[in-house]
Amino acid sequence: MKNKIAMTILCGIITGKTIFAVGGVELLTNTTVGAIGNTVMQTSISAESVFYNPAATSFLENGDYFYVGSYLAGIDYKMEVGNIDLESTTPQIIPSFSYVMKNNRQSYYFGLGLNGQGGKLKIDNNIPFLENMEATIIHGGLNFGVSYLLSDNLSVSFGGVGNYSKIELTGNLGDNSIKNTKDSKSLTFETGIFYRATEKLSFSGKYLNRTKQDYGGYLAGMVSLGTSYKLTEKDQINMGYNIILEENDYSNSYEYAVSLERQINFKLSLSLGYMYSDRGSNRDGIYTFTELSSHQVGFGGEYSIKENMVLGFGVGLIDYKEKSSKLFNSDVKSTRSEKIVGLSLNVKL
């Protein structure tokens, strides 16, 4: 009897509306390769700043900047309902690209990346009549706008974020094929501020507005804060704090991050970072893969191939907390972990 109830619940999750509930828990805040080793990208001044605080791009030297990068995430997802489980170990590739044109006091920026967690997952399960299950969860983002230096120490940015979301689940339920698909196109705004208080101390702030999805719910907004301080000529400490603004059915999530950067020589710099993500709670009663708190540790760096060309690299681990709940007297348990490695290239023209 317990297994029958569990299978009924599981089929409801798969074919019903629950899987399409999108709260801020879907937000991805480590879009680029640099964020693997440096979890506090809010204070970074580079072409990657397009995704974390575009106002920082105003402090680049005049010129055109290109960034392209990708990281591979080896994942292990598992959800258990009673004696039945769903599991996926499909590796994911997360690409990103950005361009910045800095001209005197203003900079114009453009970026392409993933705004939300997800990917294309082949889901294994131990239910005899449920086969060939695949889930696709995509939140592709387009960042664009302008940043302007109000003074030598203060800049602001104004821009938009376009988003294409697609959530689909396919498979075979006995002799019948199942396909549940929903997608959405949306546009929202973001604004940022960057302040260099002294030669050693900087502050960063960004606000991203929530985005209404066509299929219901919101892609989360965010308030992102950061600060950096140069301990020595070669060492810098960074601290960051993100408030992820959930939709009404969720409590807000929070992220706390710290990173250290060290300039080894004029060609090589290294970074070490840690982030804790507190996903809060939700009212669904089902804890899916994106609704788990996590610890992230990473190591990375940059190496100057040429004066205008920098290679970035990073390796890291994200360990998610196990979460359990009760639904119709059945235990629901979710676990997740990821190993990540990435490479990037920054070029100044």
Side-chain angles (χ1 to χ4, degrees), residues 45-121:
I45 300 175
S46 70
E48 292 180 63
S49 301
V50 169
F51 301 100
Y52 304 102
N53 186 1
T57 61
S58 289
F59 291 92
L60 292 167
E61 297 178 354
N62 284 349
D64 295 306
Y65 296 81
F66 290 89
Y67 155 85
V68 61
S70 182
Y71 63 85
L72 175 69
I75 64 172
D76 185 6
Y77 297 173
K78 190 172 184 179
M79 178 191 290
E80 297 178 1
V81 182
N83 296 325
I84 297 173
D85 62 79
L86 298 178
E87 186 173 8
S88 176
T89 56
T90 311
Q92 302 296 310
I93 295 177
I94 296 92
S96 50
F97 166 82
S98 66
Y99 165 70
V100 177
M101 181 178 68
K102 171 66 188 303
N103 183 19
N104 297 322
R105 304 191 74 85
Q106 63 270 348
S107 63
Y108 303 93
Y109 63 88
F110 172 86
L112 286 170
L114 295 181
N115 282 348
Q117 302 178 52
K120 189 173 182 64
L121 308 173

